[in-house]
Amino acid sequence: MADATCSSASSCDRESCEGCPSANGGKPESMLEELNAYSEIKHVIGVVSGKGGVGKSMVTASLANILASKGFRVGIMDADITGPSIPRMYGMTGLAEADDQGIYPRLTDNDIKVMSINLLLPNPEDPVIWRGPILAGLVKQFWHDVIWGELDYLLVDMPPGTGDVPLTVFQSLPVDGIFVVTTPQDLVKMIVKKAYNMAETMHIPVLGLIENYSYLVCPDCGKEIPVFGTSKIQEVADEMGILVAGKMPIDPKLSELTEAGHFAQAENAYLEPAYAALQVLDACGR
């Protein structure tokens, strides 16, 4: 028999009212995971994309570098479980350490804390052939089993699309907002809207759009060459009422640092608008 506390007990066939909206003032039970007991995180920021190959990890790492350079305590959760790249960018090798209290993230050369599946696998080149629910479960473990310590910002580098992992992050972590990464191609509007609509559905603020591969600067004359077509990011942003938080050109220096595993040395001034958006978020007390 349903519990008498349920306002719709006469028509309810539940054995218990646990998790029932009617038993919680009409509000659904929170799905947020409990943070690791030895951690305190002020802001959780997602970096998402509607499709792969847009440089989402480079944006995540670049934004982390900017925050770290300004004195903030920063962590990166590499939630792209089947395609992790953050440890490689920072030249990280070997396994993360763990004890009875939890798993300890690895530190980059510029003191950014990182957790990734590649820091838990004996061979980082082994494929991760897991179904969606297992991938989602690992993301939850990265939240409640990893000892993040005190962080001002935890940046979550998500896999592309709107599947199990982004859904898990939005439901299980207290995400303050997201940046959507895209490229200047014809499908940009549809791709951005997919990510935007998912965030809206989950009541997650979109802090801004970031365009990667916006142009190539000619090394001889300095002219900006739109290799992937004319940018449409401002037009899309205006239509959706979103900030353009950065336009990143194709920068060979960033690519070289990525390949060498020296991304801790990377400086990316093109994302200063994204940094400014985070400062507004911080000032608003979110």
Side-chain angles (χ1 to χ4, degrees), residues 244-265:
V244 174
K247 294 181 66 175
M248 294 171 50
I250 299 171
D251 190 337
K253 292 181 180 179
L254 292 180
S255 299
E256 290 168 7
L257 290 172
T258 297
E259 290 301 314
H262 296 155
F263 205 80
Q265 303 172 16

Side-chain angles (χ1 to χ4, degrees), residues 64-137:
N65 282 3
I66 291 173
L67 289 166
S69 71
K70 296 183 185 293
F72 292 98
R73 299 164 298 181
V74 188
I76 299 177
M77 179 192 291
D78 190 354
D80 192 352
I81 309 299
T82 60
S85 55
I86 295 295
R88 176 69 179 83
M89 294 175 70
Y90 286 101
M92 291 180 162
T93 57
L95 299 177
E97 296 182 357
D99 58 24
D100 292 340
Q101 295 179 340
I103 306 169
Y104 293 87
R106 296 284 303 279
L107 271 180
T108 66
D109 290 341
N110 55 341
D111 294 327
I112 295 170
K113 295 180 179 180
V114 173
M115 179 47 59
S116 170
I117 184 64
N118 270 10
L119 300 177
L120 301 177
L121 296 174
N123 181 4
E125 295 182 356
D126 286 344
V128 178
I129 310 174
W130 297 343
R131 295 190 182 276
I134 301 178
L135 299 176

Side-chain angles (χ1 to χ4, degrees), residues 10-187:
S10 59
S11 59
C12 179
D13 59 0
R14 291 172 178 262
E15 292 296 324
S16 167
C17 283
E18 183 178 359
C20 176
S22 297
N24 189 31
K27 297 180 181 179
E29 185 178 7
S30 172
M31 298 178 68
L32 291 178
E33 290 287 315
E34 185 175 351
L35 178 61
N36 177 271
Y38 303 97
S39 304
E40 184 177 339
I41 299 173
K42 189 173 182 181
H43 295 298
V44 179
I45 306 296
V47 182
V48 310
S49 62
K51 66 183 291 295
V54 299
K56 177 176 44 57
S57 295
M58 181 174 287
V59 168
T60 302
S62 294
L63 191 52
N65 282 3
I66 291 173
L67 289 166
S69 71
K70 296 183 185 293
F72 292 98
R73 299 164 298 181
V74 188
I76 299 177
M77 179 192 291
D78 190 354
D80 192 352
I81 309 299
T82 60
S85 55
I86 295 295
R88 176 69 179 83
M89 294 175 70
Y90 286 101
M92 291 180 162
T93 57
L95 299 177
E97 296 182 357
D99 58 24
D100 292 340
Q101 295 179 340
I103 306 169
Y104 293 87
R106 296 284 303 279
L107 271 180
T108 66
D109 290 341
N110 55 341
D111 294 327
I112 295 170
K113 295 180 179 180
V114 173
M115 179 47 59
S116 170
I117 184 64
N118 270 10
L119 300 177
L120 301 177
L121 296 174
N123 181 4
E125 295 182 356
D126 286 344
V128 178
I129 310 174
W130 297 343
R131 295 190 182 276
I134 301 178
L135 299 176
L138 184 60
V139 170
K140 293 180 182 180
Q141 283 187 278
F142 282 174
W143 180 252
H144 56 65
D145 288 352
V146 173
I147 302 172
W148 292 103
E150 294 185 3
L151 293 180
D152 296 304
Y153 293 95
L154 177 66
L155 304 182
V156 184
D157 184 14
M158 294 199 227
T162 55
D164 285 331
V165 171
L167 179 61
T168 296
V169 170
F170 287 165
Q171 290 182 326
S172 303
L173 276 58
V175 180
D176 292 294
I178 65 169
F179 289 106
V180 180
V181 184
T182 186
T183 58
Q185 295 170 313
D186 288 340
L187 294 176

